[in-house]
Amino acid sequence: MDDVTPSDRTDDRIDAVPGDGRDETENERLDRNWSEMLQELRVIQTGTQILTGFLLAAVFQSRFEELDDYQRTVYLCLVVTSILTTVFGLTPVSLHRALFRQRKKAEVVHATDRILQFTMLGVALTLAGTGMLIFDFVFGRVGGIVIGVVILLVVVLLWIVVPRVVRHSRHIELRA
């Protein structure tokens, strides 16, 4: 009988990544990855929504008129970056909705991984730019540029360098 669907088979228990310490099928791995990504999206969305709200409200403050042309340009770039970052953070949900029940979980997980990377870039730029704008306003141009660069360096250190060091040290442990 050939009318058995793939989900009806019991012989699909092939370990997706043998030797990784998990006993999960490819579908179980994709479900776990998707669940983990949703948790990351929840954290990112909260932060981007708060930051976007702060930026949008700033224009209505009485001291906003004191911003010079450079500061207004930076502000507008930050608003656009923050809004686009929010859009990127919501895109995986829209993608999932559009592809729901289409057997495209692998594609959704892969695309969401890339989208999350762009979202994190947007968060980094928005954080550094917001710090730069505030310090520029309070302490002057040099103070703003210095704090913007410092924030970017901290982000690169914590979000890129540290994970690579941890991954590299884990590979060394596994070889030993």
Side-chain angles (χ1 to χ4, degrees):
M1 227 182 213
D2 280 329
D3 60 339
V4 175
T5 63
S7 61
D8 293 333
R9 293 187 188 132
T10 57
D11 60 346
D12 288 337
R13 290 297 315 166
I14 299 170
D15 193 0
V17 184
D20 70 345
R22 300 177 189 270
D23 181 26
E24 60 187 358
T25 65
E26 182 64 17
N27 284 336
E28 290 168 336
R29 186 180 69 82
L30 289 170
D31 288 343
R32 178 178 52 79
N33 288 168
W34 177 245
S35 179
E36 290 172 0
M37 287 179 176
L38 286 178
Q39 292 300 328
E40 293 172 9
L41 285 166
R42 286 182 183 105
V43 172
I44 290 171
Q45 269 310 111
T46 301
T48 57
Q49 288 171 349
I50 290 169
L51 194 49
T52 300
F54 163 76
L55 289 169
L56 293 176
V59 73
F60 299 106
Q61 301 301 314
S62 60
R63 292 193 65 193
F64 188 81
E65 296 299 322
E66 296 176 30
L67 297 181
D68 62 27
D69 288 342
Y70 169 81
Q71 292 166 333
R72 287 175 194 260
T73 301
V74 169
Y75 170 78
L76 291 174
C77 290
L78 286 170
V79 168
V80 169
T81 303
S82 183
I83 290 171
L84 289 175
T85 300
T86 301
V87 169
F88 270 99
L90 292 171
T91 298
V93 175
S94 176
L95 182 64
H96 183 262
R97 283 289 88 216
L99 298 176
F100 186 67
R101 293 190 177 162
Q102 301 295 312
R103 297 181 184 259
K104 300 287 185 187
K105 180 72 66 99
E107 290 83 351
V108 169
V109 169
H110 180 72
T112 297
D113 177 52
R114 296 288 180 237
I115 291 165
L116 274 166
Q117 291 174 21
F118 281 108
T119 304
M120 295 296 289
L121 175 63
V123 169
L125 293 174
T126 304
L127 288 172
T130 301
M132 181 180 81
L133 179 62
I134 291 169
F135 273 69
D136 184 278
F137 185 75
V138 175
F139 295 110
R141 192 81 6 109
V142 173
I145 291 171
V146 167
I147 199 66
V149 169
V150 167
I151 291 170
L152 277 178
L153 289 174
V154 169
V155 166
V156 167
L157 176 69
L158 294 177
W159 293 1
I160 297 172
V161 175
V162 168
R164 288 184 179 177
V165 167
V166 170
R167 183 180 344 156
H168 179 70
S169 66
R170 180 72 177 141
H171 286 298
I172 290 173
E173 287 176 22
L174 292 174
R175 286 186 212 151

